[in-house]
Amino acid sequence: MQQPVTHVNLVITTGEPAGIGPEISIAGAQAFLAEQPDARITLLGDDNLLPLSSQEKLTFADRLQVQNISLSSLSSPGILHSQNANYVLKTLDLAVDGCLQGQFDAMVTAPIQKSVINEAGIPFTGHTEYLAARCHAKREVMMLCATLPSGFLGLKSAKDLRVALATTHLPLQQVSAALSYEVVLETIRVVDHDLRTKFGISKPLIRVAGLNPHAGESGYLGREEIDFIAPAIDACRNLGIDVHGPFPGDTMFDPKSLPNVDAYIAMYHDQGLAPFKFVTFGSGINVTLGLPIIRTSVDHGTALDIAGKGLADSGSMLEALRLAYQLALNQRKKL
């Protein structure tokens, strides 16, 4: 007797209403559902921003639905309104609650405009930090992922590049004070744990960067490596984690290391994301580790200048959906 199909239920928060989020959410969802007949997607957002044609409704039936959340203020492409800050946050809250309650297997987020939320008087540093607070996570980690094709930088076969961050959205002058033995240790542990449990990698190999030029040059260019980065790495190795470093930031991403490394950990935002985005050409995906739920996202912004013009590329959204789907399947295998 044939077993009934158990759908993987994904939810998309469609992001800043004045940006490209709504259009890439619809396009990415449709492309993904055409690939995966056992997936179902719910779009969270205002009906007027997410129109589905009669043909689209017929093609996907109940596998593509819009859960209407009304805008606080009328929205036009490219024109920001701080009155819609609570609308954006409501989409995130509903997605998180749905994942925690088992309604959704994973959430995928379209880009938001941080300035709009802050202008509304709501302190907000980014998706990663907000979702961690909503999930009461002890330690969240931002990680970017992309697949490098065979032949690129001498790769003999396609390879997943993953770059995680010990600190996220901070002014550079605050990074050193935000780092500590505990931060580095917990970042390594979260990355190792989620690579095992969510990505299905049985023995991850991790590389960790130092903070200072030349990884501190034995203390002559800074002591963070000596005082807590190297000791945290050693402690994690004693826990059985295959982690190495600290490497100078300018040599950590050695192309020769790519075939063997499962994740790189940078100490601050641009140390990790500048090289990542240089080689991934906008095809990356953002994953939040350390949460009790699965969350992936596009790795680009709201692109206000092209919103509503039919120019937005939904490729990153499609990749984010593909990864969310795969992580959800991996999670099911663990249950």
Side-chain angles (χ1 to χ4, degrees):
M1 182 177 178
Q2 187 175 4
Q3 295 296 317
V5 175
T6 302
H7 286 94
V8 174
N9 293 303
L10 306 177
V11 60
I12 300 176
T13 59
T14 54
E16 166 56 47
I20 62 173
E23 54 193 291
I24 64 169
S25 296
I26 291 179
Q30 292 175 347
F32 178 74
L33 291 176
E35 296 178 355
Q36 296 295 347
D38 65 338
R40 181 184 289 124
I41 294 177
T42 300
L43 300 169
L44 299 181
D46 192 290
D47 276 335
N48 295 315
L49 298 174
L50 303 165
L52 296 180
S53 69
S54 298
Q55 183 60 47
E56 289 166 344
K57 292 177 181 178
L58 181 63
T59 300
F60 299 109
D62 67 337
R63 295 200 302 125
L64 180 59
Q65 298 181 337
V66 175
Q67 182 175 335
N68 181 55
I69 301 169
S70 298
L71 287 165
S72 302
S73 175
L74 291 178
S75 180
S76 300
I79 302 175
L80 298 171
H81 294 284
S82 60
Q83 298 95 318
N84 284 323
N86 284 318
Y87 160 86
V88 172
L89 295 181
K90 186 174 181 180
T91 66
L92 297 178
D93 293 343
L94 289 173
V96 169
D97 291 344
C99 288
L100 290 173
Q101 295 163 9
Q103 177 185 0
F104 305 120
D105 294 298
M107 66 181 287
V108 180
T109 58
I112 57 178
Q113 193 81 15
K114 300 184 187 83
S115 61
V116 166
I117 301 172
N118 283 288
E119 286 170 9
I122 304 169
F124 186 89
T125 55
H127 267 123
T128 302
E129 297 84 354
Y130 185 82
L131 297 178
R134 286 286 281 114
C135 292
H136 305 289
K138 178 182 178 182
R139 175 67 185 166
E140 79 282 3
V141 175
M142 177 179 174
M143 185 170 79
L144 275 289
C145 309
T147 301
L148 301 179
S150 174
F152 185 72
L153 294 176
L155 289 172
K156 293 183 179 180
S157 59
K159 173 65 179 178
D160 290 329
L161 172 64
R162 304 180 186 92
V163 180
L165 304 178
T167 62
T168 51
H169 301 106
L170 288 176
L172 190 56
Q173 65 179 357
Q174 296 179 15
V175 169
S176 179
L179 289 168
S180 66
Y181 172 86
E182 291 76 15
V183 166
V184 176
L185 183 137
E186 285 304 314
T187 300
I188 297 170
R189 292 185 66 178
V190 166
V191 171
D192 178 74
H193 176 271
D194 280 22
L195 288 178
R196 293 172 187 265
T197 60
K198 292 181 178 178
F199 287 77
I201 302 172
S202 59
K203 184 69 172 176
L205 192 155
I206 301 169
R207 267 192 168 206
V208 179
L211 174 66
N212 298 294
H214 300 235
E217 195 78 62
S218 300
Y220 289 101
L221 294 176
R223 291 195 52 86
E224 286 87 351
E225 289 78 8
I226 295 172
D227 291 344
F228 55 80
I229 299 177
I233 292 171
D234 291 340
C236 287
R237 290 179 65 84
N238 290 334
L239 293 173
I241 298 174
D242 192 4
V243 59
H244 305 266
F247 293 93
D250 61 348
T251 60
M252 182 174 74
F253 296 95
D254 179 358
K256 294 180 181 179
S257 73
L258 286 171
N260 301 314
V261 176
D262 294 297
Y264 299 84
I265 298 178
M267 289 297 106
Y268 58 93
H269 189 279
D270 286 9
Q271 184 188 52
L273 298 197
F276 176 87
K277 292 193 175 185
F278 180 73
V279 299
T280 58
F281 307 109
S283 62
I285 309 155
N286 188 346
V287 184
T288 305
L289 307 181
L291 302 181
I293 63 175
I294 295 168
R295 179 259 173 163
T296 67
S297 179
V298 299
D299 77 336
H300 57 73
T302 53
L304 299 174
D305 57 325
I306 62 170
K309 297 179 181 178
L311 301 175
D313 184 352
S314 61
S316 185
M317 174 58 74
L318 176 58
E319 292 299 326
L321 287 163
R322 286 171 174 162
L323 181 58
Y325 172 83
Q326 186 57 55
L327 296 182
L329 289 182
N330 292 345
Q331 195 94 312
R332 286 186 178 185
K333 293 175 184 177
K334 296 287 183 180
L335 300 178

